[in-house]
Amino acid sequence: MNADTIPVVDLQENRYWNETRTWPLGRRLDVYKHVRAAATNYTHAAIDIANCLPVVAVPNTEIQRVRQQAHDLLAYFLIGMKKLNDNANIADLLLPEFLNLRDWITAFELAIIPLSVNNQPPPLVMAMYPNRSIVELVLQAKFVTANPAPANLEELCNMISTLQISKLWQFRAGSEAWNTGLPTVAFVRLGQSLVVGTSAPYWKALQTFWTNAKECRDARIPPAHRTELEMCGAMAQEAFKHVVTQQGGLNIIKNALNEATRSQMQRSEWNYVTRAVFSKLRDIGGNLGQPIGQRGYTYDHSAETGRAFFACGEKMLRPLSRCWKCRFIFNYNVNDGSMDVEDPATTVFAANDALNCAEDLAHCLCAPTNPAAQAFGPSNDVSPFPSENPLVPPNPA
């Protein structure tokens, strides 16, 4: 599997989109609901990209690249959705759920046309499609035509807040099905170019397709980075688990597992947890002969400004505090002084699995142009919460 493009074998072999035909009715209706949500999300993504990337008289290579990738990615999903529509169980053809899906597929097809060359309808067949997230392409489309380009995180937030796709949840009931086709998190690095890493897109109702989407996303993580990232992620998880479950007297950690209590914790208490995990990481790294955890971090991206964002749901494209794995192994400048610092109380109190996070992919995309981030080593000591220094441990509860 290539990191940049994926062969379209699944549609030719009638996999994924056709596998629902013989499923029980309830499960088929669930598929229609989720695919309708994806069609809705992708329709608005196509509108955003078309609005961001108007046809220009002077050719622009970057604009052409993003436009072509967006067109091909969306056309790939459209072909699959139309195959689902054309091969549906005959008993479903008059169901309101199916008719609603069919209407959205039509709207989706019309939204793709402005992205094509000479306003042509999307293709009926494809050989390859780009290995990208639609959220990545929406953000890059907004960035490449921004004038001036955002200079800090606050300007980035203001820029992306105007995107139509970020406003969809104002008109929806709160169901996770509406996240279909979108990643959960995007990590965005500012610079001369915009680097966007995302988690895998959500396709819960089509489990086989979801698995394929995860495999495609994982193909963008080079083998040279994979082993190190897996080890770092496992070490961060081990350190976090040790602090949470074994460090005596830290009742605040037990309390932090309770949603209601977590929101009442003071920043100094979160810092205490953070420093305890840093300390344990140094111990683990030392035992393995690795400098992980040295001065707090493994990969030094301190010269790069970046921030995590929600990539779906009611807080879509709003800043998000990093997970309790990424904050220990990646050292991005996430607090550039232009906006509020990260609030760890907004992060689920867990360390995610290695390679699953948006920041894992962002690191792999940034590292080739940043020698400091390409291998283990001491990092500039940027405190996760610079407003809280020195740290005063909390009183035991």
Side-chain angles (χ1 to χ4, degrees), residues 177-380:
W178 285 113
N179 298 337
T180 303
L182 301 175
T184 303
V185 177
F187 188 88
V188 183
R189 188 219 68 186
L190 275 174
Q192 290 185 336
S193 62
L194 195 73
V195 173
V196 183
T198 67
S199 54
Y202 175 86
W203 286 96
K204 185 174 181 179
L206 285 162
Q207 187 62 48
T208 309
F209 192 73
W210 198 8
T211 300
N212 180 69
K214 292 178 180 177
E215 292 174 351
C216 292
R217 183 255 183 197
D218 288 350
R220 299 182 69 186
I221 299 177
H225 291 279
R226 182 176 297 275
T227 301
E228 289 182 354
L229 285 173
E230 286 178 337
M231 182 177 70
C232 289
M235 292 164 70
Q237 281 188 319
E238 181 182 346
F240 183 80
K241 181 179 179 181
H242 173 86
V243 172
V244 170
T245 61
Q246 299 181 28
Q247 193 141 334
L250 284 181
N251 292 329
I252 60 164
I253 295 177
K254 297 177 182 178
N255 292 339
L257 298 175
N258 179 282
E259 182 75 26
T261 306
R262 186 169 67 228
S263 64
Q264 301 170 18
M265 293 176 65
Q266 300 299 313
R267 186 173 297 276
S268 61
E269 294 172 329
W270 286 110
N271 270 350
Y272 189 56
V273 177
T274 300
R275 295 300 183 187
V277 176
F278 279 160
S279 177
K280 185 60 182 177
L281 265 177
R282 283 194 293 271
D283 294 343
I284 296 174
N287 292 337
L288 294 178
Q290 299 286 354
I292 181 170
Q294 189 173 124
R295 302 181 70 184
Y297 295 90
T298 301
Y299 295 105
D300 185 4
H301 292 275
S302 58
E304 300 175 276
T305 298
R307 194 75 178 258
F309 292 85
F310 292 97
C312 64
E314 60 185 335
K315 296 182 179 180
M316 187 173 184
L317 301 185
R318 298 181 190 175
L320 167 70
S321 181
R322 294 165 298 165
C323 90
W324 287 87
K325 174 201 72 180
C326 292
R327 70 175 61 250
F328 301 119
I329 63 175
F330 302 115
N331 180 15
Y332 281 93
N333 178 18
V334 297
N335 299 317
D336 67 355
S338 66
M339 57 188 296
D340 291 341
V341 299
E342 283 189 307
D343 181 3
T346 64
T347 304
V348 175
F349 201 64
N352 294 337
D353 291 338
L355 307 182
N356 282 0
C357 290
E359 204 163 343
D360 289 313
L361 179 55
H363 160 72
C364 294
L365 299 176
C366 293
T369 59
N370 182 359
Q374 291 175 7
F376 295 151
S379 165
N380 291 326

Side-chain angles (χ1 to χ4, degrees), residues 5-226:
T5 56
I6 303 296
V8 185
V9 296
D10 50 305
L11 298 180
Q12 297 167 359
E13 296 173 0
N14 292 325
R15 296 168 60 205
Y16 307 135
W17 299 103
N18 289 343
E19 66 184 5
T20 64
R21 189 171 185 172
T22 58
W23 289 355
L25 175 60
R27 193 175 178 190
R28 296 200 305 272
L29 293 178
D30 194 42
V31 169
Y32 298 154
K33 177 177 68 175
H34 281 75
V35 175
R36 181 195 66 177
T40 307
N41 291 332
Y42 291 166
T43 297
H44 290 282
I47 293 171
D48 273 329
I49 293 170
N51 288 339
C52 293
L53 302 179
V55 177
V56 292
V58 179
N60 181 301
T61 303
E62 188 65 8
I63 289 177
Q64 291 172 331
R65 178 191 67 81
V66 176
R67 177 189 285 275
Q68 189 65 53
Q69 287 186 336
H71 173 270
D72 292 352
L73 178 65
L74 293 172
Y76 161 74
F77 286 111
L78 175 66
I79 293 170
M81 291 177 186
K82 293 178 76 171
K83 187 174 287 290
L84 173 68
N85 176 82
D86 295 343
N87 294 279
N89 190 306
I90 193 171
D92 299 346
L93 298 184
L94 295 180
L95 292 175
E97 293 85 353
F98 182 81
L99 295 173
N100 189 281
L101 168 62
R102 189 172 62 187
D103 290 343
W104 269 110
I105 291 175
T106 301
F108 179 28
E109 183 171 16
L110 293 174
I112 298 175
I113 292 176
L115 297 177
S116 64
V117 177
N118 299 323
N119 283 337
Q120 295 299 309
L124 298 178
V125 294
M126 296 177 64
M128 306 287 289
Y129 71 98
N131 191 9
R132 296 291 184 268
S133 159
I134 191 58
V135 171
E136 173 185 355
L137 294 175
V138 168
L139 294 177
Q140 289 185 342
K142 188 68 174 176
F143 181 83
V144 297
T145 53
N147 187 18
N152 55 47
L153 291 173
E154 181 182 31
E155 292 180 6
L156 172 65
C157 291
N158 291 338
M159 181 188 77
I160 64 180
S161 67
T162 62
L163 290 165
Q164 182 171 306
I165 196 171
S166 69
K167 300 176 173 58
L168 292 180
W169 271 80
Q170 297 176 12
F171 312 104
R172 294 175 167 177
S175 168
E176 69 173 7
W178 285 113
N179 298 337
T180 303
L182 301 175
T184 303
V185 177
F187 188 88
V188 183
R189 188 219 68 186
L190 275 174
Q192 290 185 336
S193 62
L194 195 73
V195 173
V196 183
T198 67
S199 54
Y202 175 86
W203 286 96
K204 185 174 181 179
L206 285 162
Q207 187 62 48
T208 309
F209 192 73
W210 198 8
T211 300
N212 180 69
K214 292 178 180 177
E215 292 174 351
C216 292
R217 183 255 183 197
D218 288 350
R220 299 182 69 186
I221 299 177
H225 291 279
R226 182 176 297 275

